[in-house]
Amino acid sequence: MTTQDAALRFQLSAARQTDAANSFARTGLIRITEPFPADVAERLHHHLDSGISWGRTVSQGEKSAWDLTPEAIAALDGDKEKAFLAAVHETARDGFQFLFDSLLVSDDPSARNARGLLLDRVIDALNHPTSLDTFRTITGAPDIRRVNGQATRYLPGHFLTSHDDGIDGENRVAAYVINLTKGWRTDWGGLLQFQTGSGDVPLALKPGFNTIHLFRVPQLHSVSYVAPFAGVPRYAITGWLCR
């Protein structure tokens, strides 16, 4: 790993780790500001903004997704797009559904190395022992052994309905969201919402820039519908810390 790639590792001072661990133990949810040097955050934002060929993903049930290639997205126009959105919205009305742009990162380090995107190197860095130890300290889970991830882009009309991230066999300890969005307004939607069993939303977090949201799994949450007048894409790198 190069010196630049080493800067992608998730590492905090001992004092910040202690504060984060205490907060996570109390609430199961923390926001960490400026986890990366400013130049690294800018490099990541630029990569998501101009260095990725985005696909689009929608749910096909609790455990599967249908991914559209960039070519398939371009072919969705006119009546085809209306029919596609009608089907997505029909599922979302009473069940689990999502619609956003994404690029998955392989769980295989050799595949990440072969593709060689900055995004792949981020996931490599999050799996470095230094990063894993930081995650273990904060979450109080010494058995975390791997981090997976994807890049996400929410455009107007995109959303993610309520779910808790709990899937048998995935061994998820916590979810993370590396926020890389500039100039987002609350009115634009795209909020990370945490819900009670009765559907109330006691907490909603606005997308930000160079921040990490880390929350315990399972925990009911959603991403609210992005308004048609949203002025910029909502960018993030997201995934799970797994045993």
Side-chain angles (χ1 to χ4, degrees):
M1 181 175 287
T2 67
T3 301
Q4 283 188 330
D5 289 344
L8 298 171
R9 298 171 190 165
F10 179 51
Q11 48 193 330
L12 304 173
S13 68
R16 292 190 73 189
Q17 286 191 47
T18 298
D19 288 345
N22 290 338
S23 181
F24 191 86
R26 290 194 309 270
T27 67
L29 165 67
I30 56 172
R31 170 187 276 163
I32 299 170
T33 59
E34 298 183 349
F36 302 108
D39 64 319
V40 171
E42 290 289 347
R43 187 157 57 106
L44 292 174
H45 177 269
H46 178 74
H47 179 58
L48 299 189
D49 196 46
S50 61
I52 282 180
S53 181
W54 293 95
R56 188 155 296 163
T57 186
V58 299
S59 174
Q60 284 195 311
E62 290 286 343
K63 297 183 180 180
S64 64
W66 177 37
D67 297 318
L68 286 73
T69 65
E71 294 76 19
I73 296 170
L76 278 177
D77 57 6
D79 291 341
K80 290 182 180 178
E81 183 177 23
K82 290 179 182 178
F84 170 74
L85 289 175
V88 170
H89 293 163
E90 178 67 24
T91 306
R93 184 172 294 114
D94 297 309
F96 178 62
Q97 184 56 279
F98 50 77
L99 175 65
F100 56 87
D101 292 346
S102 72
L103 182 62
L104 291 173
V105 179
S106 175
D107 289 335
D108 181 358
S110 63
R112 296 197 295 263
N113 183 64
R115 188 169 68 170
L117 293 176
L118 177 57
L119 173 62
D120 297 303
R121 303 206 305 272
V122 170
I123 303 305
D124 281 338
L126 295 182
N127 279 281
H128 187 274
T130 299
S131 300
L132 291 175
D133 282 344
T134 301
F135 285 129
R136 291 163 181 152
T137 297
I138 292 173
T139 61
D143 53 351
I144 290 173
R145 64 180 183 85
R146 63 184 178 91
V147 179
N148 58 28
Q150 65 176 326
T152 65
R153 180 179 70 174
Y154 282 70
L155 301 174
H158 289 179
F159 63 90
L160 171 61
T161 62
S162 301
H163 63 293
D164 67 8
D165 280 350
I167 297 179
D168 291 341
E170 291 293 326
N171 298 315
R172 295 170 176 173
V173 174
Y176 72 89
V177 182
I178 301 173
N179 294 276
L180 294 163
T181 303
K182 293 184 176 182
W184 194 265
R185 293 181 51 141
T186 302
D187 295 339
W188 295 348
L191 306 179
L192 177 58
Q193 301 181 144
F194 292 89
Q195 304 171 32
T196 66
S198 61
D200 291 328
V201 180
L203 180 64
L205 302 176
K206 186 183 80 169
F209 180 68
N210 197 15
T211 64
I212 291 182
H213 296 144
L214 188 67
F215 55 95
R216 187 179 292 123
V217 172
Q219 192 166 176
L220 193 63
H221 63 284
S222 62
V223 176
S224 63
Y225 187 85
V226 178
F229 49 83
V232 297
R234 178 193 187 274
Y235 289 127
I237 299 171
T238 72
W240 293 275
L241 318 180
C242 302
R243 293 186 172 90

